[in-house]
Amino acid sequence: METSSVGNTNTGSIHVLAAADLSALLEAIVAEGYRLVGPRIRNGTAVLDEISGAAQLPRGYRDSQRPGEYRISANGSGETNAGRYFDYVVGPTSVKRFLYPPRRKVLEAERSGGQWKITEPADDYPPTAIVGLRSCDLAAVRILDRVLLNDIYPDPVYAARRKATLMIGVDCAHPSETCFCTSMGGGPSVESGYDLNLTELGDGATHRFLIAAGSDRGEKLMASLRLSTATSDDLAAGAAQRKSAEAALAQNPPMQDAREVLANAWNSTRWDSIAQRCMACANCTMSCPTCFCVDIEDETDLTGEHADRWQTWDSCFTMGHSYVHGGAVRKETTSRYRQWMTHKLSSWHDQFEMSGCTGCGRCITWCPVGIDIREELAAIRTDQKTDVPEAAQ
Amino acid sequence: MSARKKAQSNKKPKLAVFKFASCDGCQLSLLDCEDELLDVAGAVDIAYFPEATRAVMKGPWDLTLVEGSITTPHDAERIHQIRRQSKMLVTIGACATAGGIQALRNFGNVNAYVSAVYAHPEYIETLRTSTPIADHVKVDFELNGCPINKYQLLEVINATVNGRRPNINPNSVCAECKLRGTSCIMVSQGIPCMGPVTHAGCNAICPFYNRGCFGCYGPKEATNTAAVATRFRELGLNNEDVMRQFRMFTAAAREFEDESVAAEKFEAESLI
Ligand code: SF4
Ligand code: SF4
Ligand code: SF4
């Protein structure tokens, strides 16, 4: 893992890329042998998927996200953002889908003459450039790195995919109502973890990008582009855009005390109220860019001479997740939601010295009944304040 | 190839397939396994399967697949005889596991239907309700679906032959949407979808085609139907619409039945 070239903060100076030259950047990336992945509209959502070039990016689109609700449309906000490429925020897919796929065969076994021969199938992940990653996406990569690379048992497939992935970040101009990255200590602009980062400025005749490299791979790509040095006006425009994005995020409730609040909340009455609304459907965990739980299943063919072992995304909301000999430990949704939220925001610190949450808001938007982790934390905190007798405070 | 070889040397498990009130669709899924059918035929002795062969081998059977629900006094008897002859009894499909579409009669008056449909209602001997097999005899495994997924059926046969538990996921249809990368249509388009309360197994076909899940696979494990019903109402469904969401192919599955009855009750109360 050459961490030196992946995941550093800005090493180079900031330049300006003309909006019309975004295609030139993407073409340069393809010429380097990368498969191109970026946001594109599918079934009324901006998903991360393979794209052929800049023409497939959702230009002029804005999204609106609320608990349990997502909409995206071209110029839906009524504002003029004609031709801007990245005016929406994260959609249902995350970088996890690429680095840590939903389903993967981890081994094959063949029996002949009473002997098992076990082979590891080769991973078929091509060098991939992901365009349009947000600050919270790159924060998720840092968390996944800690869990899957820098722990006792590193995941070799994750390591290889991570190395083969070029990360092109984008600063967020219009956070959605479900975004709360700043409450989790990041965003809305990209700070680190990118190979290249873009700040989209202006529209129409003033449409341009600030561009900065965060790795050698990024520097090399930049060197091949037609760029100009950023003027103080360009930098001021970037700062102003950042300020307005931060203002939109400032309405979020404080969450800095999440670790302590949840560490002492195992008997909060709030868990029961959540369980009445929660369907244990697993949408939150599967949408979350950092939830890493998987299930391992063995499949045999009819002869019993051939077996495959599969790794599939699992969720702490399933009964099987807490199954031990004799039954599931977390039978009630009460304890499953508590496990999820407590792990994400509190015990993750104990386990990995960091929070498990980036504040991307996917678990809020993509919960079909709109359960909001921010609101639940606030309610649990209030609960504690009213529960604890005066003397104990 | 080795399936057949092994089959010649070992004693093969005996498979029987029985039908009760149903459309035959589920047992036909077995014949639909064209590529795998010869392997199945090599791995088991098909002892009784009228849709496929005229051969009849007496019980006991190692694996008995039962399709259909119990709707007549005669069938209520017959299923006990089958159970006595079956080592492992697996019910397949919405009829056998949840009473099927014909369980809609449970919510009406069956005699009224009989007189409306048949010229000579006096010849018809039927029960008031359509009930799942598990209401009558012990069932070792239930394979949900309307119709069942043929790959899941193969997995059940395969697991039984190899003496292991079948890998059949009891989670939500939503988990399948997420795995295959379908963006949630309830969240992004406001389409009412039964996915969050429905048992996985179909690979979330309907949401992929922009259609809300119909609930064909019945309730998922530890389901919360009231929560999704509340969401349906927020999306503009009235009590009758909510009742219909839950009263489809698996209307008599307990959790779905309770929710559809509750919706009817709300409606009745709102009219007072
Ligand atoms: S817990 Fe929610 S907000 Fe936090 S990273 Fe996961 S999906 Fe995003
Ligand atoms: S919080 Fe929402 S998305 Fe998560 S399991 Fe509960 S209902 Fe499903
Ligand atoms: S479309 Fe339906 S099944 Fe799929 S995630 Fe949404 S609610 Fe669940």
Side-chain angles (χ1 to χ4, degrees), chain A residues 92-171:
Chain A
T93 31
S94 79
V95 64
K96 176 172 87 173
R97 192 166 195 91
F98 297 90
L99 299 180
Y100 194 59
R103 190 166 158 81
R104 188 172 71 78
K105 196 192 275 184
V106 290
L107 64 80
E108 286 173 13
E110 193 78 46
R111 182 161 55 189
S112 64
Q115 290 290 312
W116 281 104
K117 190 170 164 277
I118 295 177
T119 47
E120 267 182 66
D123 191 32
D124 58 358
Y125 184 81
T128 300
I130 312 185
V131 181
L133 292 170
R134 308 309 173 105
S135 163
C136 58
D137 290 313
L138 295 167
V141 174
R142 273 195 298 282
I143 296 173
L144 290 177
D145 280 358
R146 171 65 187 89
V147 175
L148 300 171
L149 285 184
N150 306 318
D151 213 36
I152 317 169
Y153 302 107
D155 177 335
V157 171
Y158 176 85
R161 288 187 173 216
R162 177 77 171 77
K163 206 167 165 177
T165 306
L166 187 80
M167 313 260 181
I168 317 292
V170 166
D171 292 342

Side-chain angles (χ1 to χ4, degrees), chain B residues 162-173:
Chain B
N162 285 298
R164 61 176 175 86
R165 281 163 54 100
N167 293 320
I168 303 289
N169 200 329
N171 305 344
S172 63
V173 171

